[in-house]
Amino acid sequence: SQTIHQWPATLVQPVGSPLSLECTVEGTSNPNLYWYRQAAGRGLQLLFYSVGIGQISSEVPQNLSASRPQDRQFILSSKKLLLSDSGFYLCAWSAPDSYEQYFGPGTRLTVT
Amino acid sequence: DAKTTQPPSMDCAEGRAANLPCNHSTISGNEYVYWYRQIHSQGPQYIIHGLKNNETNEMASLIITEDRKSSTLILPHATLRDTAVYYCIVRALTGGFKTIFGAGTRLFVKA
């Protein structure tokens, strides 16, 4: 069966520090991968999605970036965090020709 | 993708059926109706989807009206663990992989 991992579960970082969140998927090949952010009490905002290695589509221009160095690995990064980057970051995957998305446990980021 | 309208919140007694409505009056012929839910502090969970026929799985039933302008997600015997935000999403299978999650319906299941 398929499994999606995210780490860390929680993170507290100072303003201006870098960020690296990792997501990996097991049990499937060539998945579509997604990064979402959810601010406190708000809905999900799609940040990036990827349909293959090295292919990244950005939905929201900001100080975040994403990379997909391997088929089942998706990384969210920032060089300098802002206070507004605080939130619940969720990684999700879907099969290549499917729109059913399966979400990871999320990373709760607090920028101080 | 068509826009959806859901009530912001609903209550349901434990053991009773929870019926969550969704309006999607501008839905196109090639657009599917998807339902997800998000339990507090967890990632969203896929529940069910359908095009025009009613669908049922181990989690829920999806009833789509004949004109496809609205649908209802039915949890047949709600439990306290079904307390969550339920998202109704309408999207086509073309035009990219972007899926827009709205505000959803916050369902409170009460003992």
Side-chain angles (χ1 to χ4, degrees), chain A residues 32 34 36 38 41-44 46 49 51 59 88 90 94-106 108, chain B residues 34 36 38-46 48-49 87 91-103 106:
Chain A
N32 300 319
Y34 311 80
Y36 289 86
Q38 187 172 36
R42 306 291 295 274
L44 279 77
L46 178 64
Y49 68 91
V51 299
E59 290 296 315
F88 191 39
L90 290 153
S94 66
D97 296 320
S98 172
Y99 296 85
E100 300 165 31
Q101 295 183 27
Y102 299 92
F103 286 78
R108 193 162 301 281
Chain B
Y34 283 79
Y36 289 79
Q38 186 175 19
I39 296 170
H40 183 63
S41 296
Q42 297 183 22
Q45 177 188 24
Y46 164 81
I48 199 168
H49 76 280
Y87 299 100
R91 66 151 299 143
L93 299 187
T94 57
F97 292 87
K98 182 176 179 178
T99 297
I100 299 174
F101 286 78
R106 188 172 295 276

